[in-house]
């Protein structure tokens, strides 16, 4: 089981919401790309597909990738905006906006007595 999990984690790429953050913020992308030294990356880190979060050995392999089906599928998936936490909560049925609260129908004995003009402190 350990070997299978290791292989799956090795092939794992960045999730769609992380790539959306990369596309929106150059700072976020720079944090990801600067995490590894260029010597350890394929092609010394010169060719990077932002949409797929993959490094390539040469410009030719990068061009072939951009013409391929997996890249086009990823582009199609990135056209949709990712769901926010608010939308996910709404889908489950959790509400964050409960509106204005109505006054409670239950009132205290003193308030009931005041509306009936009764004096609770008097003996008689």
């Amino acid at each position: 089981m350990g070997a299978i999990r290791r292989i799956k984690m090795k092939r794992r790429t960045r999730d769609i919401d992380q790539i959306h953050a990369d596309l929106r913020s150059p700072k976020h992308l720079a944090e990801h790309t600067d995490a590894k030294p260029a010597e350890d990356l394929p092609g010394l880190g010169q060719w990077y597909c932002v949409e797929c979060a993959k490094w390539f050995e040469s410009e030719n392999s990068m061009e072939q990738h951009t013409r391929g089906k997996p890249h086009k599928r990823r582009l199609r998936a990135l056209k949709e905006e990712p769901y926010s936490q608010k939308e996910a909560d709404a889908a489950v049925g959790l509400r964050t906006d409960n509106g204005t609260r109505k006054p409670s129908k239950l009132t205290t004995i003193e308030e009931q007595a005041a509306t009936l003009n009764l004096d609770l402190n008097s003996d008689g």
Side-chain angles (χ1 to χ4, degrees), residues 47-51 54 56-67:
W47 296 281
Y48 180 70
C49 177
V50 177
E51 293 85 6
K54 289 186 178 180
F56 295 96
E57 284 284 332
S58 65
E59 187 177 5
N60 185 29
S61 61
M62 172 87 171
E63 288 175 11
Q64 286 179 347
H65 165 75
T66 55
R67 286 186 259 138

Side-chain angles (χ1 to χ4, degrees), residues 42-86:
L44 296 177
Q46 292 180 346
W47 296 281
Y48 180 70
C49 177
V50 177
E51 293 85 6
C52 299
K54 289 186 178 180
W55 298 95
F56 295 96
E57 284 284 332
S58 65
E59 187 177 5
N60 185 29
S61 61
M62 172 87 171
E63 288 175 11
Q64 286 179 347
H65 165 75
T66 55
R67 286 186 259 138
K69 245 186 205 181
H71 179 78
K72 290 178 183 178
R73 274 192 223 129
R74 182 59 68 107
L75 288 178
R76 202 173 315 123
L78 285 170
K79 285 182 183 178
E80 298 177 17
E81 280 294 316
Y83 291 111
S84 66
Q85 185 62 42
K86 188 175 183 178

Side-chain angles (χ1 to χ4, degrees), residues 82-102:
Y83 291 111
S84 66
Q85 185 62 42
K86 188 175 183 178
E87 291 172 329
D89 290 343
V92 171
L94 301 174
R95 293 191 61 200
T96 56
D97 181 25
N98 293 328
T100 57
R101 291 191 124 181
K102 296 179 183 175

Side-chain angles (χ1 to χ4, degrees), residues 102-119:
K102 296 179 183 175
S104 175
K105 290 183 181 181
L106 299 176
T107 57
T108 63
I109 295 174
E110 290 83 16
E111 291 174 350
Q112 289 176 359
T115 58
L116 297 174
N117 294 328
L118 297 176
D119 188 14

